[in-house]
Amino acid sequence: MAASSLENYPALVLNADFRPLSYLPLSLWNWQDSVKACFQGRVNVVAEYDHVIRSPSFEMPIPSVIALKDYVPMNRSPAFTRFNVFLRDHFRCQYCSTRFPVQSLTFDHVIPRSKGGGTSWENVVTACQKCNLRKGNRYLRDSSMRLRKEPLRPTAYQLQDAGRSFPPNFLHESWEDYLYWDSELERD
């Protein structure tokens, strides 16, 4: 099989508890890294593609799902980044509740910086450009706008849950059982 066509065979990487290391971005390794980790004994192969890689003396199915043998603890305090703020807020403007693509979003200081508001989880929200411009440099009470929900510092687990709502464009069928097995079931 040509090396360029092998790029279409990433492996979903699970922690030792069989949950993805991350949902957004989805924890994926290229085929070379997953095969190398297999040879090093760092992972267990959970599922495989129908395609194999070959050498003159060896043949191996390409891993599609791998699980780390050693558990990697979740970071309890996620990084305060623009993307993580958008993820916490589900890519929705916290004023008009409309979902936007990332490139159309900004963030807004609920208490304006010029009025003593800091740049923190508790004072920054996702905003569309129109609402951000409309609120401007004013307090909420002076802008006649309301927040959809109070901005809070999320845990790593909350961001993981938010990330599950935004699957990547490509999902191999062997991954589905490991991406959503811990989701709450719908009730009748």
Side-chain angles (χ1 to χ4, degrees), residues 5-80:
S5 65
L6 289 174
E7 298 307 317
N8 298 322
Y9 296 95
L12 174 64
V13 183
L14 307 176
N15 210 337
D17 65 356
F18 284 75
R19 293 179 189 218
L21 288 176
S22 69
Y23 285 93
L24 199 61
L26 191 58
S27 52
L28 300 176
W29 286 356
N30 64 37
W31 71 272
Q32 296 101 322
D33 290 339
S34 62
V35 169
K36 181 180 176 182
C38 291
F39 277 108
Q40 293 173 334
R42 298 182 320 164
V43 298
N44 291 313
V45 176
V46 179
E48 301 165 330
Y49 290 106
D50 292 334
H51 293 75
V52 297
I53 54 171
R54 293 181 175 88
S55 76
S57 62
F58 180 77
E59 184 175 290
M60 174 184 180
I62 300 172
S64 65
V65 180
I66 55 178
L68 300 177
K69 288 186 176 181
D70 295 322
Y71 182 78
V72 176
M74 293 282 295
N75 183 356
R76 297 281 180 209
S77 181
F80 178 67

